[in-house]
Amino acid sequence: MANPLFDTLFGRYVGQDTAFLHLPDGRTITHGAFLEQVARFAHVFVELGAQPGDRLAVQIEKSPEALAVYAACAQAGIIFLPLNTAYTADEVSYFVANSGARVLICDGSKVDALGPVAEAAGAVLETLNADGTGTLPDKAEDKPAVFETVPRAAGDLAAFLYTSGTTGRSKGAMLTQTNLLSNAEVLADYWQFGSGDVLLHALPIFHTHGLFVATNITLIAGGSMIFLPRFDLDRIIADLPRATSMMGVPTFYTRLLGDDRFDRELVQHMRLFVSGSAPLLAETHARFEARTGHRILERYGMTETNMNTSNPYDGERRAGTVGFPLPGVELKITDPGSGRTLPDGEVGQIEVRGPNVFRGYWQMPEKTREELREDGFFITGDLGMIDSRGYVQIVGRNKDLIISGGYNIYPKEIELVLDDQPGVLESAVIGVPHPDFGETVVGVLVTEPGAAPDPDAIMAAAGQSLARFKHPRKLVVLPELPRNAMGKVQKNLLRTQFDGLFK
Ligand code: MCA
Ligand code: AMP
């Protein structure tokens, strides 16, 4: 194949009038019409000077046109770099500069903030709004509806997704065509997706879950998606009767369970509910089954690896586990100190190897070496064990990470901002249980002697540089931070102390 990713996911649908996207306004976009838009966008990217292998960054709302940008990058051999719409201009600035993006596409409302960012990085700025208008579609209007697909090899890079680090500096995970395709093919088969599937899609499309799992699987299977701009409870309840399957983070399912309209009758026709990105409480699993008769299928993945394990489609879906390694994926539990493989039943770090595992971090060879072993095993930073029946259980994290509503938040990044505030001597940021988001952020501050920092001013400062979802939901002041003999802050003690804050 000349361009495996594009040809497999998109190219085979050129000219087909089969349904692809069902929109909230009642319109259905066919594969054929979608691909005409894709071709026009690809022509614009070439006109803007983007060459195969260049990066194209987007910070745009979810829309059919936003998805067409992804496909157009694949067709033109450009590396797609989607960014969370919640990121501040400061955050976007880092990603654009670090990736060396040639083009940045943003919402029209962000031009004032991102114009200087693009200029400083030498990137061309175009706009694409949630309603499909903007300078990109304007330029695309008179372009041909066909584009000659740029040849790419299976090992070529297809996307960069940035993932934060424990040092506070985000790393660009380089994903190849093979990484994306192999995983989508395995999952579509494992979860028995077919052309009759209608996936209820309410996830964002700037992360692995909504883009590479939900969307790519639907494309591989030839199904269609009810494509919602965001998670909206009323909309989901209205659309569920038309869907066959749904994917979500645990917050989706706890929110659905909080609504009386979500009952057995509403979902009796559904084929599959999948959960991932954060731990699904066994209690949620049980409540969901009691309410609907469906057992949620939980799986486990990462930005760097796509999906690694899954509960079985036909066999027993065990609450509190993430199932078995997917076909083609090797998984082992190792001793964090020695790297030695541990026997089943023992807790250690989870390592994975397979065609799904990324190429490394963009321009960070040392970080890559720390996490990606020479033999191809990737050290996930998750702690787990394999139980007597071969199911993988995640029991904790060997990395300082908070997952709130499915978004990853690295405490270090927030601590750096808090430490900088007047009157703050030092800080520790922890995750505590939260009924809606699973975990939420708490900032623990130690003040300078005699100082009384203003929490509102601190939150305002955080708002300048950090996306809203990373903001501490509570700031608390302690006389000092608990430390061990080595001087390391004992966050486990803080987590225990503040465990009940949001319960
Ligand atoms: C929104 N807010 C959040 C979050 N989302 N705060 C903390 N954590 C969040 N996840 C902020 C809003 O800015 C708002 O701020 C306030 O919280 C309440 O917003 P609300 O309307 O309740 O939230 P929402 O817009 O309904 O969003 C919640 C959500 C959303 C639906 C759970 O966050 C979401 O779609 N999450 C999915 C994330 C995802 O796709 N993760 C996959 C990553 P204010 O106070 O100003 O009102 S991929 C991955 O992890 C790996 C590979 C994997 O395994 O999948
Ligand atoms: P990300 O860096 O956004 O790709 O997030 C990946 C992390 O999400 C993993 O390393 C896990 O810590 C977590 N994760 C994903 N799926 C699950 C799951 N089903 N259960 C527990 N944690 C999960």
Side-chain angles (χ1 to χ4, degrees):
M1 261 187 238
N3 180 329
L5 185 71
F6 184 80
D7 296 346
T8 311
L9 293 185
F10 303 104
R12 63 199 169 103
Y13 299 116
V14 170
Q16 306 245 341
D17 63 3
T18 40
F20 177 37
L21 301 174
H22 310 284
L23 305 179
D25 64 9
R27 276 184 305 145
T28 289
I29 297 181
T30 64
H31 285 100
F34 177 79
L35 286 159
E36 290 183 5
Q37 177 75 292
V38 169
R40 293 194 175 98
F41 282 175
H43 281 289
V44 178
F45 298 160
V46 171
E47 190 176 86
L48 295 175
Q51 308 273 336
D54 279 349
R55 275 74 60 207
L56 182 146
V58 301
Q59 191 190 33
I60 47 181
E61 296 297 332
K62 183 176 172 186
S63 67
E65 292 79 11
L67 201 56
V69 172
Y70 162 55
C73 283
Q75 189 164 24
I78 296 166
I79 298 173
F80 184 60
L81 195 181
L83 296 168
N84 193 322
T85 46
Y87 288 150
T88 62
D90 278 5
E91 288 166 319
V92 173
S93 165
Y94 172 81
F95 300 122
V96 174
N98 182 267
S99 66
R102 170 70 68 113
V103 180
L104 170 63
I105 304 174
C106 72
D107 192 90
S109 64
K110 293 197 170 155
V111 166
D112 286 349
L114 295 181
V117 167
E119 200 181 329
V124 182
L125 185 70
E126 298 292 340
T127 63
L128 177 59
N129 304 315
D131 62 2
T133 61
T135 61
L136 171 66
D138 285 351
K139 286 184 176 159
E141 211 172 39
D142 61 356
K143 298 286 183 290
V146 287
F147 178 87
E148 197 174 326
T149 304
V150 171
R152 293 265 93 186
D156 283 340
L157 296 177
F160 279 10
L161 287 193
Y162 275 78
T163 131
S164 277
T166 41
T167 56
R169 258 190 99 208
S170 289
K171 303 165 286 185
M174 300 188 285
L175 296 156
T176 65
Q177 292 213 346
T178 293
N179 294 153
L180 305 183
L181 267 183
S182 64
N183 213 236
E185 274 161 358
V186 164
L187 291 172
D189 187 50
Y190 208 74
W191 295 342
Q192 300 189 16
F193 269 81
S195 57
D197 262 298
V198 181
L199 179 84
L200 187 48
H201 193 303
L203 287 159
I205 53 168
F206 44 70
H207 278 314
T208 299
H209 197 163
L211 190 62
F212 301 142
V213 182
T215 304
N216 286 358
I217 290 178
T218 305
L219 282 160
I220 290 267
S224 62
M225 300 191 275
I226 299 172
F227 205 60
L228 303 181
R230 62 185 59 81
F231 182 91
D232 172 334
L233 198 53
D234 291 338
R235 193 72 244 186
I236 295 211
I237 288 181
D239 284 330
L240 269 169
R242 294 195 294 148
T244 62
S245 46
M246 177 173 168
M247 293 182 194
V249 296
T251 301
F252 282 22
Y253 297 117
T254 48
R255 286 187 182 184
L256 282 168
L257 285 169
D259 194 303
D260 289 341
R261 293 171 296 174
F262 185 69
D263 61 12
R264 192 173 285 254
E265 205 188 330
L266 188 75
V267 296
Q268 61 184 5
H269 66 288
M270 285 287 282
R271 184 178 74 76
L272 181 64
F273 290 94
V274 177
S275 176
S277 308
L280 181 77
L281 295 179
E283 185 229 335
T284 309
H285 195 279
R287 278 174 58 217
F288 198 92
E289 185 177 13
R291 177 87 68 89
T292 66
H294 287 280
R295 289 177 76 84
I296 297 176
L297 186 155
E298 186 172 8
R299 58 46 171 194
Y300 158 61
M302 286 188 76
T303 299
E304 290 91 334
T305 63
N306 284 2
M307 299 304 102
N308 294 313
T309 72
S310 171
N311 269 282
Y313 186 81
D314 283 325
E316 189 196 347
R317 301 176 193 168
R318 298 191 81 190
T321 83
V322 291
F324 307 111
L326 287 165
V329 177
E330 293 170 81
L331 182 146
K332 61 182 181 177
I333 307 292
T334 63
D335 177 85
S338 64
R340 185 176 57 87
T341 302
L342 297 172
D344 288 359
E346 282 191 32
V347 173
Q349 60 187 7
I350 300 176
E351 299 193 25
V352 292
R353 178 165 72 179
N356 55 318
V357 174
F358 75 141
R359 171 87 72 75
Y361 297 114
W362 170 248
Q363 292 183 337
M364 290 189 183
E366 278 173 26
K367 288 269 166 226
T368 303
R369 267 195 301 277
E370 276 169 27
E371 293 175 36
L372 191 56
R373 295 186 192 278
E374 261 174 23
D375 64 5
F377 271 98
F378 176 65
I379 305 167
T380 60
D382 291 308
L383 297 173
M385 60 169 259
I386 301 173
D387 72 17
S388 58
R389 294 166 61 188
Y391 287 76
V392 176
Q393 285 178 27
I394 299 177
V395 299
R397 296 174 202 140
N398 207 12
K399 51 191 172 188
D400 195 11
L401 164 69
I402 299 166
I403 305 183
S404 166
Y407 286 148
N408 284 12
I409 301 168
Y410 281 83
K412 185 75 189 170
E413 203 184 348
I414 303 159
E415 288 161 2
L416 290 173
V417 174
L418 296 180
D419 290 349
D420 250 9
Q421 302 312 308
V424 175
L425 184 66
E426 60 174 350
S427 65
V429 166
I430 54 167
V432 300
H434 187 275
D436 187 28
F437 290 130
E439 278 185 292
T440 198
V441 180
V442 170
V444 183
L445 305 176
V446 178
T447 62
E448 279 165 357
D454 172 10
D456 291 341
I458 293 181
M459 293 308 291
Q464 277 297 310
S465 49
L466 299 172
R468 174 77 186 111
F469 68 88
K470 299 177 186 171
H471 295 187
R473 294 295 154 136
K474 192 144 193 101
L475 290 173
V476 291
V477 175
L478 285 186
E480 60 181 6
L481 298 176
R483 291 182 187 277
N484 65 14
M486 309 290 288
K488 193 170 166 353
V489 177
Q490 291 173 296
K491 289 199 171 178
N492 52 334
L493 297 183
L494 292 174
R495 280 191 285 267
T496 307
Q497 183 173 354
F498 296 110
D499 179 75
L501 266 185
F502 293 91
K503 278 184 179 163

